[in-house]
Amino acid sequence: MSRRDELKKKILQYLLQKGHATRPELVALTGVRAATVFEAIDELKSESMIAEPERRSKKTGRKAPELSFKPDCCLTVGIELRSKCCYGVIADTSGKTLFYSEVPANNRNSLSDVKNEILLLLQNLREQAGVLWDQIKGIGFADPGLVDIEKGFSIRAVNVPGWQNVDTAKWLTTVSALPAGVWPETMVKTKMEYLQLADKAPESIFNLTTDDGIGGGFIRDGKLFTGASGRAMEIGHLQVDPDGPRCQCGNNGCLEALAGWPSICRIITENRMQGVDFGELPEQFSMTDFSENISKNKGTRIIAEKVCHALGTALSSMVMMLNPEMIVISGELTVLGDFLLNSLRRELELRCFPEAVKDLQIVLSTLSKADTATGAAMMMREKILLGENNL
């Protein structure tokens, strides 16, 4: 790659992360002389990659106009596969959702069933997009399980029937004639948490996702940590209690087996069979029902405290190793609100060095249900514009 191409790539990378920048800002960022930076910017403009408000003169006496991506220069599809639904979007280069669709998981019993849901989702998006579909550059896929990111291969998702050993990127390319990329759903969520904070984003964020499964992601200075084989941050399968219940991964006492939503349901059922009174909690209860019953019933509160203890135990290891500035909690357990946040704060203060926790922010995610699919589209956008290893 030539120096000019490297400079253009650096400019694109900054615009992808921040959304906009002035010419003087890019000169300061790159450390390259202004004339060279301006030439690279003009090339990107001529390639219809970026836009800039009209510069009427060299010295207007006003703030320099801000450069940004042309919204239609890299349209991408984003898909999130979850245990109960498939979500899909078409996003423009800025990350704005142009079209949205979701397909519920009805009678999902096999790999074929799951693939048919994804095909229906793609069909819905294509019909909405109409002639705009021809401008789509690629598909990003947020996978609920273990992924070989480099190969775009889905290894295993314990909460989705049949979703294992799937050459997902290749299959998506075959059915759509578009290049595809595959990333763990927790990694995509982490990227979106960072992008949502924009200029207020701290240097480092650890994202704890709490849905049917439990996962994590870590981002520092805008770069996701993937690990040597793309399997980093599997906090859900960190062993918290060696004598604990068996996890779907095959080990005992994993965090997911102690604090995942299916595990909470199982624990409540087992305790009811042993005569524990859970007050007004329905037989078929939601996470909201569980949360509202904490203040009304001692049995529910004890279960909630045990869940938070398990989460805090696992998170303390992450805090001591990574020392993040912020922990973002997303998923089902966020309905526990302040009970969850206060419990985790206490656990971390008990288990970690004071200096690691003193200024640590612990917050609840504000992402919408479609944002992870949008994140997958944006990660594919980066793969197309920057290359394989710039996430």
Side-chain angles (χ1 to χ4, degrees):
M1 183 182 293
S2 69
R3 289 186 178 181
R4 176 61 60 82
D5 287 339
E6 288 179 357
L7 177 59
K8 289 164 66 176
K9 183 175 179 179
K10 194 168 186 178
I11 291 170
L12 292 177
Q13 195 164 21
Y14 186 80
L15 290 174
L16 285 170
Q17 184 173 322
K18 299 298 183 181
H20 53 78
T22 64
R23 288 182 179 236
E25 286 173 347
L26 292 172
V27 171
L29 169 75
T30 59
V32 177
R33 68 189 186 94
T36 304
V37 173
F38 291 176
E39 288 172 2
I41 289 171
D42 290 339
E43 283 187 20
L44 289 170
K45 288 174 64 178
S46 68
E47 294 166 5
S48 296
M49 297 287 289
I50 61 177
E52 180 181 31
E54 185 178 353
R55 297 168 62 87
R56 297 184 181 278
S57 66
K58 292 184 178 180
K59 295 184 179 180
T60 62
R62 300 177 182 176
K63 182 180 178 181
E66 290 189 326
L67 297 144
S68 60
F69 274 100
K70 284 196 170 184
D72 61 352
C73 80
C74 191
L75 304 185
T76 47
V77 172
I79 298 172
E80 181 191 12
L81 174 62
R82 301 191 64 177
S83 63
K84 299 174 183 176
C85 195
C86 277
Y87 298 106
V89 302
I90 294 175
D92 69 12
T93 317
S94 70
K96 178 183 177 181
T97 297
L98 303 178
F99 304 101
Y100 168 79
S101 181
E102 60 181 79
V103 175
N106 295 323
N107 301 315
R108 181 191 282 174
N109 298 305
S110 67
L111 175 61
S112 178
D113 292 336
V114 182
K115 284 187 172 182
N116 285 336
E117 288 174 18
I118 297 170
L119 289 173
L120 178 57
L121 186 75
L122 286 170
Q123 179 183 328
N124 292 344
L125 291 172
R126 186 164 192 162
E127 289 175 354
Q128 290 182 60
V131 295
L132 199 62
W133 182 265
D134 293 335
Q135 297 183 41
I136 303 294
K137 296 291 196 299
I139 299 175
F141 188 86
D143 192 286
L146 289 174
V147 173
D148 185 323
I149 299 172
E150 185 177 348
K151 295 179 179 178
F153 192 88
S154 299
I155 299 170
R156 185 189 181 203
V158 296
N159 297 309
V160 179
W163 195 254
Q164 59 183 8
N165 299 323
V166 183
D167 199 343
T168 308
K170 182 178 180 180
W171 174 71
L172 286 171
T173 297
T174 299
V175 299
S176 69
L178 293 167
V182 182
W183 297 273
E185 162 256 345
T186 51
M187 185 181 292
V188 178
K189 274 189 169 68
T190 305
K191 183 79 169 184
M192 284 302 289
E193 296 290 357
Y194 179 84
L195 292 175
Q196 182 167 267
L197 291 167
D199 293 337
K200 297 179 181 179
E203 185 178 89
S204 56
I205 297 174
F206 183 82
N207 175 225
L208 177 72
T209 61
T210 60
D211 288 307
D212 288 343
I214 292 180
F218 182 63
I219 190 167
R220 182 181 177 87
D221 294 331
K223 295 281 286 185
L224 286 161
F225 180 71
T226 60
S229 59
R231 292 157 181 76
M233 302 298 121
E234 284 290 340
I235 190 173
H237 298 288
L238 186 66
Q239 191 178 58
V240 176
D241 179 7
D243 298 319
R246 195 165 187 81
C247 180
Q248 292 186 81
C249 74
N251 291 330
N252 289 339
C254 293
L255 177 61
E256 189 170 299
L258 297 170
W261 173 236
S263 300
I264 293 173
C265 295
R266 172 184 54 76
I267 292 167
I268 294 287
T269 299
E270 291 174 352
N271 276 266
R272 271 185 165 142
M273 292 175 65
Q274 296 173 11
V276 177
D277 177 21
F278 288 101
E280 300 175 3
L281 190 67
E283 288 291 330
Q284 300 296 321
F285 61 93
S286 67
M287 196 65 230
T288 300
D289 295 328
F290 179 78
S291 176
E292 292 174 348
N293 206 45
I294 290 174
S295 61
K296 303 174 184 177
N297 176 265
K298 182 179 179 180
T300 307
R301 185 178 183 86
I302 289 173
I303 299 300
E305 288 173 345
K306 289 181 177 180
V307 167
C308 291
H309 171 73
L311 289 169
T313 300
L315 277 175
S316 64
S317 297
M318 293 297 173
V319 169
M320 291 299 286
M321 288 189 293
L322 301 174
N323 192 203
E325 291 185 43
M326 177 183 285
I327 294 175
V328 181
I329 314 294
S330 61
E332 293 272 9
L333 292 184
T334 56
V335 298
L336 298 182
D338 288 341
F339 180 88
L340 174 64
L341 295 177
N342 294 334
S343 297
L344 292 180
R345 172 70 64 180
R346 285 195 300 271
E347 290 288 342
L348 294 177
E349 288 175 347
L350 282 171
R351 299 171 182 278
C352 302
F353 290 143
E355 295 80 5
V357 181
K358 178 183 176 183
D359 298 320
L360 175 64
Q361 302 174 66
I362 309 175
V363 301
L364 301 178
S365 173
T366 58
L367 295 181
S368 74
K369 65 179 182 180
D371 281 342
T372 304
T374 301
M378 294 172 75
M379 289 178 75
M380 189 61 197
R381 170 202 67 178
E382 294 191 21
K383 182 175 181 178
I384 292 167
L385 295 176
L386 303 177
E388 294 284 342
N389 301 311
N390 290 278
L391 301 174

